[in-house]
Structures are given as C-alpha cells and as structure tokens.
Amino acid sequence: MREALELAARAAEHGEVPVGAVVVKDGVVIGRGFNRPITTSDPTAHAEVVALREAAAALGNYRLTGCELYVTLEPCVMCVGAMVHARIARIIYGASDPKTGACGSIVDLPGLATFNHHGRFEGGVLADECSGALKRFFAERR
C-alpha cells in the first residue's frame, strides 16, 4: 500500500485525483498505475485499470489469477468489474469512497453471488493516510 500511496502522489503532481494502485504476484509488483483520466482524456484510465493493464502485459495474460491488487481508494463499479474479469484473488483498498465506492459504500458488487469469480475485498488499510492524501488534494483546489 505504501507504493500505491507514492503513485497517488504522482497523480496529484499531474493534477489528477490522487489514487494509486499496484498489482502483486508472488510478492513482486508486476503492475503499477495512478489516475490518468484527465491527462489522457480516457475515462477508463483509473489507477486500478492502468495497473491491471501493465500486469496483464507483464504476464502475457488478461487472467491475473493468484494476484493481489492494492489501491488507495475503494474501487468504483468499472474497476470492480475489471478486477472480477481479471480474476484478481485479493483486493486491498485504503480509504472508503462514499460517492462512487462499489465495495460497500454505495453498492456492494463483490457481494453479488452471480459473478463467475469472487476475489476477497478488504478495506481500511492505511485508510487515514489514503484519505488524508485525497483531503489535502481537494483542499488545495478550493
């Protein structure tokens, strides 16, 4: 999660909402991402999706079985869907997102029994540090 926080800081440096993500396989980071939708004009360029793309390229497979994804903010609907399709085994996030969080804040997609894959979703890891980065970012813009 510490590396994801460093990536979140890079997003903020680019004027993006500070969210960072890493994908880990067997203790090794194989995918990194930070928010880039503004700078790339790509609504799918969330930190998680960027990290998933890099990890899939590293493994040569879109199925990322046995991988873990660490992200500083509770994933949205799009990102949870991508994680399910990638078959991520474990998703660890920091701060909850009361506006778009899809892991229990506004909807609980991981709790849907109908998905063909069920990773473990765990929140609250370094939550104060993760939410602090977001609060500082938005306070500077007000």
mmCIF file of all heavy atoms in Angstrom, residues 16 36-45:
data_model
loop_
_atom_site.group_PDB
_atom_site.id
_atom_site.type_symbol
_atom_site.label_atom_id
_atom_site.label_comp_id
_atom_site.label_asym_id
_atom_site.label_seq_id
_atom_site.Cartn_x
_atom_site.Cartn_y
_atom_site.Cartn_z
ATOM 1 N N GLU A 16 -4.195 15.155 -11.219
ATOM 2 C CA GLU A 16 -5.202 14.083 -11.194
ATOM 3 C C GLU A 16 -5.585 13.779 -9.751
ATOM 4 O O GLU A 16 -4.794 13.992 -8.824
ATOM 5 C CB GLU A 16 -4.626 12.802 -11.825
ATOM 6 C CG GLU A 16 -4.216 12.936 -13.275
ATOM 7 C CD GLU A 16 -5.356 12.734 -14.261
ATOM 8 O OE1 GLU A 16 -6.522 12.606 -13.827
ATOM 9 O OE2 GLU A 16 -5.073 12.708 -15.463
ATOM 10 N N ARG A 36 -5.138 8.743 -14.362
ATOM 11 C CA ARG A 36 -4.732 9.486 -15.550
ATOM 12 C C ARG A 36 -5.885 9.875 -16.476
ATOM 13 O O ARG A 36 -5.646 10.174 -17.646
ATOM 14 C CB ARG A 36 -3.739 8.657 -16.368
ATOM 15 C CG ARG A 36 -2.491 8.286 -15.638
ATOM 16 C CD ARG A 36 -1.610 7.450 -16.518
ATOM 17 N NE ARG A 36 -0.514 6.903 -15.729
ATOM 18 C CZ ARG A 36 0.402 6.105 -16.209
ATOM 19 N NH1 ARG A 36 0.374 5.733 -17.470
ATOM 20 N NH2 ARG A 36 1.361 5.654 -15.437
ATOM 21 N N PRO A 37 -7.133 9.864 -16.036
ATOM 22 C CA PRO A 37 -8.204 10.160 -16.990
ATOM 23 C C PRO A 37 -8.148 11.564 -17.571
ATOM 24 O O PRO A 37 -8.490 11.757 -18.741
ATOM 25 C CB PRO A 37 -9.490 9.933 -16.196
ATOM 26 C CG PRO A 37 -9.100 9.880 -14.777
ATOM 27 C CD PRO A 37 -7.662 9.505 -14.722
ATOM 28 N N ILE A 38 -7.713 12.545 -16.797
ATOM 29 C CA ILE A 38 -7.662 13.920 -17.297
ATOM 30 C C ILE A 38 -6.529 14.074 -18.303
ATOM 31 O O ILE A 38 -6.740 14.556 -19.419
ATOM 32 C CB ILE A 38 -7.493 14.921 -16.134
ATOM 33 C CG1 ILE A 38 -8.719 14.860 -15.214
ATOM 34 C CG2 ILE A 38 -7.281 16.342 -16.657
ATOM 35 C CD1 ILE A 38 -8.531 15.551 -13.874
ATOM 36 N N THR A 39 -5.331 13.633 -17.921
ATOM 37 C CA THR A 39 -4.160 13.842 -18.785
ATOM 38 C C THR A 39 -4.194 12.992 -20.046
ATOM 39 O O THR A 39 -3.558 13.348 -21.039
ATOM 40 C CB THR A 39 -2.852 13.582 -18.016
ATOM 41 O OG1 THR A 39 -2.885 12.272 -17.449
ATOM 42 C CG2 THR A 39 -2.648 14.616 -16.917
ATOM 43 N N THR A 40 -4.933 11.886 -20.015
ATOM 44 C CA THR A 40 -5.003 11.024 -21.203
ATOM 45 C C THR A 40 -6.332 11.145 -21.951
ATOM 46 O O THR A 40 -6.509 10.482 -22.978
ATOM 47 C CB THR A 40 -4.808 9.547 -20.813
ATOM 48 O OG1 THR A 40 -5.863 9.158 -19.927
ATOM 49 C CG2 THR A 40 -3.449 9.307 -20.170
ATOM 50 N N SER A 41 -7.251 11.961 -21.428
ATOM 51 C CA SER A 41 -8.602 12.065 -21.994
ATOM 52 C C SER A 41 -9.233 10.686 -22.154
ATOM 53 O O SER A 41 -9.875 10.377 -23.155
ATOM 54 C CB SER A 41 -8.566 12.796 -23.341
ATOM 55 O OG SER A 41 -8.069 14.105 -23.181
ATOM 56 N N ASP A 42 -9.061 9.853 -21.113
ATOM 57 C CA ASP A 42 -9.540 8.477 -21.143
ATOM 58 C C ASP A 42 -10.303 8.189 -19.852
ATOM 59 O O ASP A 42 -9.699 8.080 -18.783
ATOM 60 C CB ASP A 42 -8.345 7.525 -21.270
ATOM 61 C CG ASP A 42 -8.738 6.062 -21.276
ATOM 62 O OD1 ASP A 42 -9.933 5.727 -21.111
ATOM 63 O OD2 ASP A 42 -7.822 5.220 -21.427
ATOM 64 N N PRO A 43 -11.616 8.076 -19.925
ATOM 65 C CA PRO A 43 -12.394 7.842 -18.710
ATOM 66 C C PRO A 43 -12.098 6.511 -18.030
ATOM 67 O O PRO A 43 -12.453 6.322 -16.869
ATOM 68 C CB PRO A 43 -13.845 7.908 -19.187
ATOM 69 C CG PRO A 43 -13.785 7.609 -20.633
ATOM 70 C CD PRO A 43 -12.456 8.119 -21.124
ATOM 71 N N THR A 44 -11.440 5.588 -18.719
ATOM 72 C CA THR A 44 -11.108 4.297 -18.109
ATOM 73 C C THR A 44 -9.723 4.286 -17.471
ATOM 74 O O THR A 44 -9.315 3.260 -16.926
ATOM 75 C CB THR A 44 -11.189 3.151 -19.137
ATOM 76 O OG1 THR A 44 -10.123 3.274 -20.079
ATOM 77 C CG2 THR A 44 -12.531 3.116 -19.840
ATOM 78 N N ALA A 45 -9.002 5.373 -17.504
ATOM 79 C CA ALA A 45 -7.625 5.407 -17.005
ATOM 80 C C ALA A 45 -7.560 5.610 -15.492
ATOM 81 O O ALA A 45 -6.797 6.431 -14.987
ATOM 82 C CB ALA A 45 -6.823 6.465 -17.744
#
